[in-house]
Amino acid sequence: MSAYRRGLRVGATSLTLVALLLSATACGGTTRDDTDNDAGAGNQAGGAANPNAALREGLKIAFLPKQLNNPYFTVSDNGGKDAVTEIKGEFKEVGPSEASASSQVSYINTLSQQGMDVIVTSANDPNAICGALNQAKAAGAKIVTFDSDTKPECRQVFVNQVTAEGIAENQVKLISEQIGGAGEIAILSATANATNQNAWIALMKTELAKPEYSKIKLVTVAYGNDDDQKSFQETQGLLQSYPNLKGIISPTTVGVAAAARYLSGSQYKGKVKLTGLGTPNQMRQYVKDGTVDAFALWSPADLGYLAAYTGAALASGQITGAEGDKFKAGKLGEFTVAKDGVVILGPPTVFDKNNIDQFQF
């Protein structure tokens, strides 16, 4: 995996989404009352950065994913736990069982009351948790978003998987190769308000407008709400509603696995192509049985690991979230904060039958 991690550090692209990733990622309804009066929060901490400051020991770092028991967040949060252990901090994980817009608010309030030094969260909605995050910042917590961003003023740093542009290019290229460059396709997303999902989808539409993809038609975007059964049913519905469908892009780990499960037991196996963002362990059987040719993802464990180190760097004064700040993230090496307080993990890896057994996550 060392070569893989080096690849992840190389740059700003792909699944993940970059400083341009503006605020991209995955879920929920919106409660504007909590967010439209967030003025003045800012994404930078006060004071100047001191890159030579020592990492504080005993930091209390909490991870709040979109939902617990989601395989993707289990892996990413465990990566965060590894990092917190390395820096001799205290790790905590809390979160809702469903990925809805306002479900994270009460957890943020509780973590703030418990005096957490750092709150690391993947937002179900770019706006709905801003009020609670700003209150947590006012109480002294450093706020890091990862995987799915809030509005920039609601946190100090966003740890992005890759650039939004890179993900869009990757996903469109994969489906085009698999359907022979022509035909109808659909997108199976997470929730309708998911920040990263919406950013990726918008850029996929821009990518599909390029001359080389002129024979591909996007017929619809469906939403599985990052729920396995709903994503399964939405896949079935897509195939019934669009009998000429040639391919599906599902840029969400829950959705792509559910879609693969449906296709693998249907008459469409091998005929309707599927790609998206998934973990090798989820998708291995579907690649090996011919349901899926190729899909992509970054390392979720590395994403969580980097998010934890980013929070520790903030809490220790090594960085403030300003563009150009530099810090070291353990085994992953040095990172630089980009525009709008964004840190990029790196480009995604494409998994297929030739390499999938090399990865275990």
Side-chain angles (χ1 to χ4, degrees):
M1 284 282 272
S2 59
Y4 176 48
R5 281 196 285 266
R6 286 196 299 272
L8 285 176
R9 293 200 304 272
V10 169
T13 20
S14 168
L15 232 52
T16 65
L17 342 134
V18 81
L20 291 296
L21 206 265
L22 3 144
S23 336
T25 293
C27 313
T30 301
T31 312
R32 296 203 176 273
D33 290 345
D34 286 344
T35 61
D36 289 343
N37 54 12
D38 299 330
N43 68 347
Q44 296 181 18
N50 178 7
N52 297 317
L55 283 177
R56 287 170 50 194
E57 291 187 7
L59 287 171
K60 295 190 289 185
I61 300 178
F63 271 65
L64 172 59
K66 291 177 184 175
Q67 62 183 143
L68 294 181
N69 301 318
N70 177 317
Y72 172 85
F73 287 110
T74 298
V75 174
S76 62
D77 289 7
N78 282 338
K81 184 177 182 180
D82 289 344
V84 174
T85 300
E86 286 180 10
I87 63 175
K88 299 179 181 179
E90 298 178 27
F91 174 84
K92 186 182 187 76
E93 181 192 40
V94 297
S97 58
E98 295 184 2
S100 63
S102 60
S103 60
Q104 296 171 306
V105 171
S106 63
Y107 293 96
I108 295 168
N109 293 337
T110 299
L111 291 172
S112 178
Q113 292 165 5
Q114 292 172 342
M116 290 294 142
D117 295 300
V118 180
I119 297 174
V120 180
T121 185
S122 179
N124 276 321
D125 182 280
N127 299 310
I129 62 174
C130 275
L133 289 178
N134 284 332
Q135 290 174 12
K137 280 195 293 183
K142 302 301 182 185
I143 306 300
V144 175
T145 54
F146 78 113
D147 175 74
S148 181
D149 202 8
T150 58
K151 294 192 299 183
E153 60 265 31
C154 307
R155 44 72 175 167
Q156 273 95 14
V157 177
F158 169 45
V159 178
N160 200 359
Q161 306 93 312
V162 293
T163 66
E165 291 80 359
I167 290 179
E169 292 168 4
N170 169 275
Q171 297 287 276
V172 171
K173 182 174 184 289
L174 283 174
I175 200 65
S176 177
E177 290 172 346
Q178 293 173 29
I179 67 173
E184 295 182 354
I185 65 169
I187 294 174
L188 174 63
S189 183
T191 64
N193 287 339
T195 321
N196 56 348
Q197 297 282 314
N198 287 340
W200 300 338
I201 291 168
L203 288 166
M204 284 183 214
K205 291 177 179 178
T206 300
E207 190 72 10
L208 287 166
K210 292 181 178 179
E212 58 264 42
Y213 300 122
S214 61
K215 294 182 180 179
I216 298 176
K217 180 182 179 182
L218 175 62
V219 294
T220 193
V221 178
Y223 299 95
N225 292 345
D226 259 354
D227 177 82
D228 176 78
Q229 191 56 34
K230 181 166 175 55
S231 298
F232 184 92
Q233 293 168 348
E234 289 293 333
T235 304
Q236 182 181 37
L238 286 172
L239 295 166
Q240 292 174 345
S241 299
Y242 300 95
N244 295 320
L245 201 64
K246 288 287 190 68
I248 298 171
I249 299 173
S250 187
T252 162
T253 57
V254 174
V256 74
R261 192 172 83 253
Y262 178 81
L263 289 172
S264 69
S266 76
Q267 61 182 313
Y268 303 102
K269 177 181 177 180
K271 298 177 182 177
V272 174
K273 299 298 183 178
L274 171 67
T275 194
L277 304 179
T279 69
N281 289 352
Q282 279 181 304
M283 301 299 291
R284 197 179 320 277
Q285 69 183 93
Y286 304 117
V287 169
K288 292 190 172 184
D289 72 9
T291 301
V292 174
D293 294 340
F295 64 98
L297 196 66
W298 50 93
S299 167
D302 284 352
L303 185 67
Y305 182 95
L306 175 57
Y309 262 98
T310 302
L314 279 166
S316 302
Q318 293 181 348
I319 62 174
T320 66
E323 184 175 0
D325 283 356
K326 297 180 184 295
F327 68 102
K328 290 183 179 178
K331 64 186 179 183
L332 297 181
E334 184 175 86
F335 290 81
T336 301
V337 180
K339 183 181 177 182
D340 294 329
V342 176
V343 172
I344 304 295
L345 176 61
T349 292
V350 173
F351 306 98
D352 58 26
K353 64 182 180 182
N354 296 314
N355 72 350
I356 196 166
D357 282 339
Q358 299 172 25
F359 300 91
Q360 298 293 330
F361 65 86

